[in-house]
Amino acid sequence: MYSYPRALRKLIGELEKLPGIGTHTATRLAFHLLDKSQQEIEELAGALTGFQQNISFCSQCHNITEEDPCQICSSPKRDQSLLCVVESPRDVIAMENTGEYKGFYHVLQGLISPLDDVGPEELTLDNFRERVRELQVREVIIATDPSTEGDATALYLKKILQKKDVKITRLAQGLPAGGDLEYADEVTLSRALSGRSEIEYD
Amino acid sequence: MYSYPRALRKLIGELEKLPGIGTHTATRLAFHLLDKSQQEIEELAGALTGFQQNISFCSQCHNITEEDPCQICSSPKRDQSLLCVVESPRDVIAMENTGEYKGFYHVLQGLISPLDDVGPEELTLDNFRERVRELQVREVIIATDPSTEGDATALYLKKILQKKDVKITRLAQGLPAGGDLEYADEVTLSRALSGRSEIEYD
């Protein structure tokens, strides 16, 4: 049966391996790339081959970085007494984008998930215990996802910190900004209700 | 402001250039690739750099190919008297996948579209005229999309073939197989109506 030239099939096959990209999208991407100049292709291929060598994980916070320790861990402007625990480097960026947080981070590189066979030993917890001690942390902010895995991990972190003189907090759960109460799911709404805050009289 | 390491930002930037891939998807892909082995990355990069050199366009039908003339144009089993005109190499694959068509193809590499500044001179029409003559084509099957551009191109092809002793046909328009009459749009339904075929009594 007739099909695309081998080199094109090979590229489609490679693109299909990427998450969320099926045969149709891979084919569309391959044809798009076929129209590009050799230089543009080289740039994409170059960005691919180069990027892993230049990225490693910070030995302190386990965030991705080009230098070790990373930009945040080596910053003298950060508040040593605050440690925000997140699942992944993407969560660090999300927190940084708020512009509100000035402490350190600890990237767990995962969440406890018995269904996916991820136990506490897969996470960067040994290092977390050390850092809590060394940095003389006053408050650990647990910023794991508001999901079953995030909750399980938060509970585990609570157990680790027990009997240490450290305040533990967790990101508030409630209605998202700009959201619509009418369309909020029951869990979100009941959490918003139980986490309600008092409005003080002037 | 803190952001991802430079090499990762570069890769995200390159991936974002692909059609249908925004910042979020590009970031997700980049993190997915970060977890892959160096060998897997090399394979993807290799498929990218290699594929353009190995692909050219058939000098006869303008389909993409590794040899010139292409597999289809050089096949002795094909019916020379049939010529199917399509927009792109992807349409050739779609037609071939039906397993019903045994003639030759002509890939226009576009459709006439005044809005996008694509005139007849951008298409592979000079070569089309020659081939119709040389191959002694009896029937030209116009398989352009059932769109404004496809209709305009079909009209233009009709003009080219006028006064030549060649039958012209166009792919039927009507209800798609497995479709639901109730949800068919008005244009499709009215074309299905005007193109209705008679059911003969046994």
Side-chain angles (χ1 to χ4, degrees), chain B residues 31-88:
Chain B
F31 271 95
H32 170 86
L33 290 166
L34 195 58
D35 289 336
K36 291 288 149 196
S37 71
Q38 186 60 28
Q39 199 205 328
E40 286 170 293
I41 300 284
E42 294 289 351
E43 270 179 36
L44 173 55
L48 275 165
T49 40
F51 92 115
Q52 278 190 335
Q53 285 96 318
N54 292 314
I55 293 171
S56 59
F57 294 100
C58 174
S59 58
Q60 315 266 309
C61 71
H62 299 274
N63 191 9
I64 49 168
T65 179
E66 279 173 302
E67 314 99 35
D68 187 20
C70 75
Q71 219 178 313
I72 295 174
C73 285
S74 57
S75 164
K77 286 184 188 155
R78 293 275 169 163
D79 184 348
Q80 286 223 13
S81 66
L82 282 173
L83 188 62
C84 177
V85 184
V86 294
E87 176 187 354
S88 76

Side-chain angles (χ1 to χ4, degrees), chain A residues 29-102:
Chain A
L29 292 177
F31 271 95
H32 169 86
L33 291 166
L34 196 58
D35 289 336
K36 292 288 150 198
S37 71
Q38 186 60 28
Q39 200 206 326
E40 286 170 293
I41 299 285
E42 294 291 351
E43 269 178 37
L44 173 56
L48 275 164
T49 40
F51 93 116
Q52 277 189 335
Q53 285 96 319
N54 292 312
I55 293 170
S56 59
F57 294 98
C58 174
S59 59
Q60 314 268 307
C61 71
H62 298 275
N63 191 9
I64 49 166
T65 180
E66 280 173 299
E67 314 99 37
D68 188 17
C70 75
Q71 219 177 311
I72 294 174
C73 286
S74 56
S75 164
K77 287 185 190 153
R78 293 273 170 166
D79 183 350
Q80 285 222 15
S81 66
L82 281 173
L83 188 62
C84 177
V85 184
V86 295
E87 177 188 354
S88 75
R90 274 173 282 187
D91 299 325
V92 172
I93 292 285
M95 288 292 292
E96 285 295 295
N97 285 344
T98 66
E100 301 276 335
Y101 180 69
K102 297 294 169 212

Side-chain angles (χ1 to χ4, degrees), chain B residues 141-144 146 169-175 191-192 195:
Chain B
I141 301 170
I142 302 179
T144 55
T169 55
R170 188 153 182 215
L171 292 189
Q173 293 179 39
L175 298 171
R191 287 186 184 175

Side-chain angles (χ1 to χ4, degrees), chain A residues 84-156:
Chain A
C84 177
V85 184
V86 295
E87 177 188 354
S88 75
R90 274 173 282 187
D91 299 325
V92 172
I93 292 285
M95 288 292 292
E96 285 295 295
N97 285 344
T98 66
E100 301 276 335
Y101 180 69
K102 297 294 169 212
F104 284 113
Y105 291 96
H106 192 84
V107 179
L108 294 174
Q109 295 192 344
L111 292 176
I112 296 173
S113 171
L115 283 175
D116 299 320
D117 237 355
V118 182
E121 62 288 345
E122 321 273 335
L123 311 183
T124 60
L125 289 171
D126 288 340
N127 196 243
F128 171 70
R129 286 189 191 87
E130 271 174 48
R131 291 186 78 207
V132 170
R133 211 169 30 235
E134 279 171 21
L135 293 170
Q136 298 187 297
V137 171
R138 276 188 305 105
E139 179 177 349
V140 168
I141 301 171
I142 302 180
T144 55
D145 290 343
S147 63
T148 320
E149 291 81 10
D151 292 349
T153 310
L155 269 177
Y156 196 86

